[in-house]
Amino acid sequence: MCSVRNVGKGFGVTGVFRAEHFGLILHMNSWHAQRNGIAFEMRMDLCWQRLSVLPHNMGRVIAVANQKGGVGKTTTAINLAASFAAAEVNTLLIDCDPQANATSGLGFAKDPERVCTYHLLLGAATAEEALLATELEQLWLIPSHKNLLGANIELVEAQGREFRLREALEPLRERFQYIVLDCPPALDLLTLNALVAADSVLIPMQAEYFALEGISELLDTVERIRAALNPGLEIEGVVVTMLDERTNLAQQVVAELKSHFGEKLFAATVPRNIRLAEAPSHGKPALVYDPRSRGAESYIRLAKEIIERGPAVVSHPSSGQTLTTEGTGEHGGQPEHEDGIGAEEMDKTA
């Protein structure tokens, strides 16, 4: 049994949640204390079957990227990082988006005076100076601010502009086993810095055909970065988000993704879930806001799958070829069916 102690505000829930279909036992205790206002302390006991021994060669940087907006990049970045942290893995989430949604989604208000990703890219501060502790004990954040938008212009003439984030993160690789980068919805200099700094790219995709149209542009960008700037960049995988398995369209899109990506399509899928939509307004990951929700379960399952897979290994297809990987293992891309979960627990939006 592994335990995680979390200190936060505004969370007063005590309960036990068992989800045996993916080997999770989550025990939460919280109590109320009065000292300079209201404070809450939460104790969480979390155990994952088959994860007692984690690989030693972690320190992986995963960029969550897709140039199409509204596909769940920030939701995926926040909740994936939180799930890593809940498994007692030191995790860092870096907000690389000027909209700073990952920052506010973890409960941090906008503050132009705070050291953020902008200062890292401009060389005005170190990554260590930008670290913020979050509600989860083993999760840290490097925040963003709208000023980051100016980095696209200020770095145009800068020397080694594509390597600024990579160089800033180098001292932190030994401290954190996973570093998750939340990229903006554009293939700009900010996303370029994230992809050059990353070991792999996690691609969230909505189960709609418009989402399929933009994937080739992102894969072409990954290929060009491999060739010129980051030969080690790999495809971590594709995760289907906002999935409504009741529709034929969603099933067709998942089948299309499976035919193109093979085992690089994660078995874990993220359903449309009201708790995932509500959690950011409370400044909490879904795992803390409502650990019983299907949204929280789906990201725990995704984190488990990434850890079990270990470092991404995929061949580098030449430009113009379709990226395919023959599925040979348990991760064949088929969405999981959540047997035993009743309709009253689905919490799906319309």
Side-chain angles (χ1 to χ4, degrees), residues 226-239:
R226 280 175 179 165
L229 300 170
N230 186 5
L233 183 63
E234 303 290 356
I235 302 296
E236 185 74 38
V238 176
V239 57

Side-chain angles (χ1 to χ4, degrees), residues 2 27 66-67 114 120 124 186 210 222 276 293-294 314:
C2 46
H27 176 67
N66 191 329
Q67 80 277 10
R114 186 170 51 210
L120 265 63
F210 281 140
V222 170
L276 284 177
S293 67
R294 293 185 70 222
V314 64

Side-chain angles (χ1 to χ4, degrees), residues 31-181:
W31 59 90
H32 172 259
Q34 186 73 32
R35 182 181 180 184
N36 297 325
I38 299 177
F40 294 89
E41 181 156 334
M42 176 178 68
R43 181 184 298 274
M44 184 187 304
D45 291 330
L46 182 146
C47 178
W48 285 0
Q49 294 176 358
R50 298 159 58 197
L51 287 182
S52 57
V53 179
L54 293 175
H56 295 290
N57 57 344
M58 285 190 172
R60 291 187 59 75
V61 180
I62 302 175
V64 181
N66 191 329
Q67 80 277 10
K68 188 178 187 302
V71 298
K73 287 188 298 298
T74 299
T75 298
T76 296
I78 291 175
N79 291 286
L80 177 61
S83 297
F84 285 146
E88 291 195 328
V89 175
N90 285 336
T91 305
L92 172 62
L93 174 61
I94 302 180
D95 194 345
C96 301
D97 190 346
Q99 297 179 79
N101 290 332
T103 302
S104 61
L106 285 179
F108 293 93
K110 297 178 180 179
D111 183 359
E113 303 301 322
R114 186 170 51 210
V115 177
C116 65
T117 316
Y118 171 79
H119 300 97
L120 265 63
L121 293 177
L122 271 294
T126 65
E128 187 72 32
E129 293 172 328
L131 289 178
L132 295 176
T134 72
E135 187 170 354
L136 288 167
E137 183 176 303
Q138 292 185 262
L139 176 62
W140 285 261
L141 170 72
I142 292 182
S144 180
H145 188 265
K146 64 181 180 181
N147 291 339
L148 183 59
L149 191 61
N152 274 314
I153 300 174
E154 296 178 55
L155 291 178
V156 168
E157 303 295 334
Q159 183 177 6
R161 59 183 183 177
E162 303 91 349
F163 298 92
R164 292 298 185 94
L165 185 59
R166 180 174 182 173
E167 293 170 354
L169 296 184
E170 201 62 37
L172 298 181
R173 276 183 173 266
E174 293 185 0
R175 176 174 175 180
F176 296 100
Q177 292 173 291
Y178 281 101
I179 298 176
V180 180
L181 311 179

